[in-house]
Amino acid sequence: MIVQNIIFPNDVCDEINMYFRAEKSFQINQEALELSENNVTNTYTYMNLFDVFFWKKYTGITVWSAKIQVQGNGLVNLWKRTPKGCKRIASVRVDTNEYKDLCFEFESEEDDEEIVYFEFVSNKKMCIKDGCFCTKNHCLYRDIHLSVVICTYRRNQELRDSLTTLKSTGFFDETSSLYGKLTIRVID
C-alpha cells in the first residue's frame, strides 16, 4: 500500500525547492528529475520528506519500503534523520541506460521523531521518477471524531453557507461510516 508519493512541481505549487534541494541546478522534464553531472540532490523538503514518526503514530505501521525509479550513473542513498543525528540506512550504486526500480526496506526504530529522505549523487547525467513510500502491512485504522469550531461575529450568511457545506459531508449521511463523528461549535 502506497502511503506517500514522491511528487514533482505542478500547477498548484511550482516552487522547485519545496520538492527537491540540489547543490547545482537541475531540470524537471516529463515528470522526471534530471540531474547534471556531479550533482547532489535530496528530497529533504516540505513536499517529499517522509515523516516516519507521524505515520507510525497514526497507523501503527513500523516496517516500510522506499521505492524509486532511476536512470543514469550515480549513487542513491536513503537517509534517516532523528533528533540524535542523521544516518544513511541504505545505498545503491546505479549505472543503467534504462530506468531501474530500486526498493529499500527499513523499520521505525525510535519512539521519537524520525524523518526519511532520498539523496541522489550523480556521477554522470541521472534521471529520477516515480518514487514512493509504502508498506506491506495493513494500517491500524483508528476511530475518529472531529470537532470544528467556527468563530464568527455578525456574519449570518457566511455561517449559514459554512453549515450547509458541512451538512453535505459524510458526517451527516446516515449510511456513511463517518456519520455522527463530527461536532460543530459556533462561537459568536
Side-chain angles (χ1 to χ4, degrees):
M1 176 177 68
I2 295 174
V3 295
Q4 180 177 316
N5 285 309
I6 300 296
I7 58 175
F8 293 83
N10 55 47
D11 294 340
V12 175
C13 178
D14 62 359
E15 184 63 40
I16 291 175
N17 287 333
M18 297 286 284
Y19 300 87
F20 302 98
R21 295 195 195 283
E23 290 181 359
K24 297 180 181 177
S25 64
F26 57 87
Q27 294 183 345
I28 297 181
N29 295 321
Q30 300 172 355
E31 293 295 317
L33 173 68
E34 291 184 9
L35 302 178
S36 59
E37 187 175 333
N38 299 318
N39 199 350
V40 178
T41 304
N42 67 57
T43 63
Y44 185 60
T45 61
Y46 180 78
M47 297 290 197
N48 283 323
L49 63 78
F50 183 66
D51 191 335
V52 177
F53 179 73
F54 170 84
W55 283 102
K56 180 180 173 182
K57 179 179 178 182
Y58 292 104
T59 65
I61 296 173
T62 59
V63 179
W64 303 96
S65 296
K67 297 180 179 182
I68 198 83
Q69 288 185 339
V70 182
Q71 175 190 47
N73 182 289
L75 191 64
V76 178
N77 297 314
L78 192 67
W79 288 90
K80 182 183 287 186
R81 185 178 292 244
T82 69
K84 297 174 187 170
C86 197
K87 74 176 185 177
R88 183 171 45 199
I89 55 177
S91 186
V92 172
R93 184 161 300 285
V94 293
D95 189 4
T96 177
N97 293 327
E98 303 290 323
Y99 274 101
K100 180 178 179 176
D101 293 324
L102 301 180
C103 181
F104 305 96
E105 293 198 2
F106 61 96
E107 290 188 39
S108 175
E109 301 167 355
E110 312 266 336
D111 284 333
D112 206 348
E113 294 181 28
E114 290 180 88
I115 292 172
V116 173
Y117 61 94
F118 286 102
E119 177 186 57
F120 310 103
V121 181
S122 63
N123 295 332
K124 297 181 180 174
K125 182 181 173 186
M126 200 171 170
C127 295
I128 292 98
K129 70 175 188 176
D130 293 335
C132 67
F133 293 93
C134 53
T135 183
K136 295 176 186 171
N137 299 350
H138 294 287
C139 286
L140 171 69
Y141 292 101
R142 299 179 187 224
D143 197 26
I144 64 162
H145 190 93
L146 297 178
S147 180
V148 175
V149 178
I150 302 173
C151 300
T152 183
Y153 180 72
R154 294 187 181 176
R155 294 184 304 187
N156 293 338
Q157 188 56 49
E158 290 86 352
L159 177 60
R160 271 192 275 283
D161 294 345
S162 295
L163 292 174
T164 300
T165 300
L166 286 170
K167 222 174 164 186
S168 68
T169 67
F171 291 103
F172 294 91
D173 177 359
E174 291 182 17
T175 63
S176 170
S177 63
L178 298 175
Y179 180 73
K181 296 183 179 185
L182 177 69
T183 302
I184 300 172
R185 292 180 171 89
V186 177
I187 300 171
D188 185 18

